[in-house]
């Protein structure tokens, strides 16, 4: 019996007609390029700035990462106030400010003596400025503070001449300064208390009832820096005068109230002394 020949007919299809391993999938529709969707897109894209793609090697300046913080420029420096005269008038005014610089005399130079004295008027102009030849030998010029050097003594005036001239200049005037008791002490002078305006004693300038330095007051009241190195009596006297001028109205009112109060106390004291005293031997004692 002859062997059966292979059939040329294909094998029967699988039970699931939709599953055909030989069947090709339909291709996905291609998305149209932006230029096909919008003809103006290509023109717009050409005008946009070109941004290079970020690399994986690290961020660079042109990277799309956050920009580096800009360096902050330093704040503008506060303009330093210079103490200068308000006019060219150098005449004597009702109020004058004084400042003295001392040198050291005595065996160890610890004793203070007048080395320079300066007076300015209410406008800040110098009306008197002289170096003083001390009676005793100078042991310490105290240059670091006073600014006085041996060469200045070549043109210095005798102490007694300076004392007389200063006394005449301040007589009958309001005397302004800082710690004036020190200046008057080295000048061997006195001045009526009612005519003294001391920036170290004015209650409104004190902090916790403590006296403050002229340097501190000048910075706070005037916004000026003084006494950075050697002291300048012209600058110090000018600072005291300008501080007084700025608070003159309130200061003078305060002075008037103080003297009015003192007068009342004196009157009360006089009344008490004029009243009959029980211990007066001239008053007879009545025994009951």
């Amino acid at each position: 019996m002859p062997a059966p020949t292979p059939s040329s007919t294909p094998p029967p299809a699988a039970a699931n007609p939709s599953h055909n391993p030989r069947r090709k999938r339909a291709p996905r529709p291609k998305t149209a390029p932006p230029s096909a969707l919008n003809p103006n897109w290509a023109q717009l894209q050409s005008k946009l700035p070109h941004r290079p793609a970020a690399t994986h090697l690290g961020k660079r300046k042109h990277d799309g990462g956050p920009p580096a913080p800009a360096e902050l420029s330093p704040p503008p420096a506060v303009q330093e106030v210079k103490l200068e005269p308000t006019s060219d008038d150098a005449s004597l005014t009702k109020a004058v400010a004084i400042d003295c610089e001392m040198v050291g005399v005595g065996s160890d130079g610890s004793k203070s003596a007048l080395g320079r004295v300066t007076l300015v008027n209410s406008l800040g102009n110098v009306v008197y400025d002289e170096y003083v030849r001390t009676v005793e030998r100078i042991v310490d010029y105290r240059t670091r503070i006073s600014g006085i050097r041996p060469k200045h003594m070549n043109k210095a005036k005798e102490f007694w001449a300076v004392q007389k001239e200063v006394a005449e200049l301040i007589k009958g005037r309001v005397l302004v300064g800082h710690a004036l008791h020190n200046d008057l002490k080295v000048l061997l002078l006195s001045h009526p208390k009612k005519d003294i305006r001391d920036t170290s004693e004015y209650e409104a300038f004190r902090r916790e009832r403590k006296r403050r330095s002229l340097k501190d007051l000048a910075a706070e009241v005037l916004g000026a820096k003084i006494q950075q190195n050697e002291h300048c009596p012209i600058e110090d006297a000018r600072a005291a005068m300008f501080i007084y001028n700025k608070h003159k109205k309130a200061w003078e009112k305060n002075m008037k109230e103080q003297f009015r109060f003192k007068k009342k106390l004196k009157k009360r004291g006089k009344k008490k002394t004029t009243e009959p005293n029980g211990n007066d031997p001239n008053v007879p004692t009545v025994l009951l």
Side-chain angles (χ1 to χ4, degrees), residues 91-141:
S91 61
L92 279 171
T93 51
K94 185 178 179 181
V96 291
I98 190 172
D99 187 73
C100 297
E101 295 299 334
M102 287 72 159
V103 292
V105 297
S107 59
D108 58 352
S110 60
K111 183 181 176 182
S112 294
L114 181 63
R116 183 182 177 184
V117 56
T118 305
L119 291 167
V120 302
N121 62 12
S122 60
L123 304 170
N125 287 300
V126 177
V127 295
Y128 190 83
D129 184 28
E130 293 290 347
Y131 288 95
V132 185
R133 185 173 290 109
T134 58
V135 178
E136 301 180 58
R137 184 178 66 90
I138 299 175
V139 177
D140 184 2
Y141 283 88

Side-chain angles (χ1 to χ4, degrees), residues 44 74 94 122 155 166-167 172 194 236 251 259 263 276 280 283:
L44 179 63
K94 185 178 179 181
S122 60
K155 56 181 179 180
V166 171
K194 65 180 182 64
D236 291 353
W251 199 334
F259 282 103
K263 284 182 179 180
D280 191 345
V283 179

Side-chain angles (χ1 to χ4, degrees), residues 206-263:
R206 293 194 180 189
R207 182 177 292 166
E208 296 178 357
R209 304 185 68 84
K210 292 182 180 179
R211 296 182 182 91
R212 298 166 65 188
S213 67
L214 181 62
K215 180 179 179 179
D216 187 18
L217 289 174
E220 181 180 304
V221 180
L222 304 175
K225 292 182 179 180
I226 64 171
Q227 301 177 354
Q228 297 299 302
N229 296 302
E230 297 174 3
H231 293 196
C232 174
I234 298 175
E235 187 178 56
D236 291 353
R238 198 173 279 163
M241 177 58 77
F242 289 169
I243 290 171
Y244 166 71
N245 288 342
K246 201 163 187 179
H247 293 265
K248 182 178 179 179
K249 188 175 181 180
W251 199 334
E252 292 300 328
K253 183 180 179 181
N254 181 267
M255 292 294 292
K256 287 180 180 179
E257 290 176 353
Q258 284 186 16
F259 282 103
R260 193 181 295 119
F261 180 72
K262 288 180 180 179
K263 284 182 179 180

Side-chain angles (χ1 to χ4, degrees), residues 2 8 11-12 39 69-70 81 99 189-190 237-238 260:
S8 60
V81 177
D99 187 73
L189 292 175
S190 62
R238 198 173 279 163
R260 193 181 295 119

Side-chain angles (χ1 to χ4, degrees), residues 5-232:
T5 60
S7 174
S8 60
T9 60
N16 186 1
S18 62
H19 180 72
N20 190 350
R22 295 182 181 180
R23 185 179 177 182
K24 294 183 179 181
R25 295 182 180 180
R28 294 181 180 178
K30 294 183 178 180
T31 305
S35 58
L37 296 175
N38 188 351
N40 296 327
W41 173 254
Q43 184 179 1
L44 179 63
Q45 192 175 22
S46 64
K47 293 181 179 181
L48 293 175
H50 178 66
R51 177 189 251 178
T55 64
H56 296 286
L57 299 177
K59 293 182 179 179
R60 299 186 181 181
K61 291 183 179 179
H62 59 266
D63 192 4
E71 294 183 2
L72 297 177
S73 57
V78 179
Q79 187 175 4
E80 183 180 343
V81 177
K82 293 184 178 180
L83 301 180
E84 297 179 346
T86 56
S87 80
D88 297 331
D89 187 0
S91 61
L92 279 171
T93 51
K94 185 178 179 181
V96 291
I98 190 172
D99 187 73
C100 297
E101 295 299 334
M102 287 72 159
V103 292
V105 297
S107 59
D108 58 352
S110 60
K111 183 181 176 182
S112 294
L114 181 63
R116 183 182 177 184
V117 56
T118 305
L119 291 167
V120 302
N121 62 12
S122 60
L123 304 170
N125 287 300
V126 177
V127 295
Y128 190 83
D129 184 28
E130 293 290 347
Y131 288 95
V132 185
R133 185 173 290 109
T134 58
V135 178
E136 301 180 58
R137 184 178 66 90
I138 299 175
V139 177
D140 184 2
Y141 283 88
R142 303 178 184 176
T143 305
R144 187 174 59 87
I145 297 175
S146 69
I148 299 174
R149 292 167 172 79
K151 64 180 181 179
H152 295 138
M153 292 298 112
N154 296 332
K155 56 181 179 180
K157 279 188 174 184
E158 295 292 337
F159 171 80
W160 306 111
V162 171
Q163 182 196 48
K164 183 180 179 181
E165 290 170 354
V166 171
E168 291 174 355
L169 289 171
I170 67 175
K171 185 178 180 181
R173 304 183 192 279
V174 173
L175 187 61
V176 182
H178 191 82
L180 283 170
H181 60 280
N182 293 327
D183 300 317
L184 293 172
K185 183 178 179 180
V186 293
L187 280 162
L188 301 180
L189 292 175
S190 62
H191 201 69
K193 194 172 182 179
K194 65 180 182 64
D195 293 331
I196 287 180
R197 304 294 181 270
D198 194 328
T199 53
S200 70
E201 297 289 344
Y202 187 37
E203 191 66 31
F205 295 154
R206 293 194 180 189
R207 182 177 292 166
E208 296 178 357
R209 304 185 68 84
K210 292 182 180 179
R211 296 182 182 91
R212 298 166 65 188
S213 67
L214 181 62
K215 180 179 179 179
D216 187 18
L217 289 174
E220 181 180 304
V221 180
L222 304 175
K225 292 182 179 180
I226 64 171
Q227 301 177 354
Q228 297 299 302
N229 296 302
E230 297 174 3
H231 293 196
C232 174

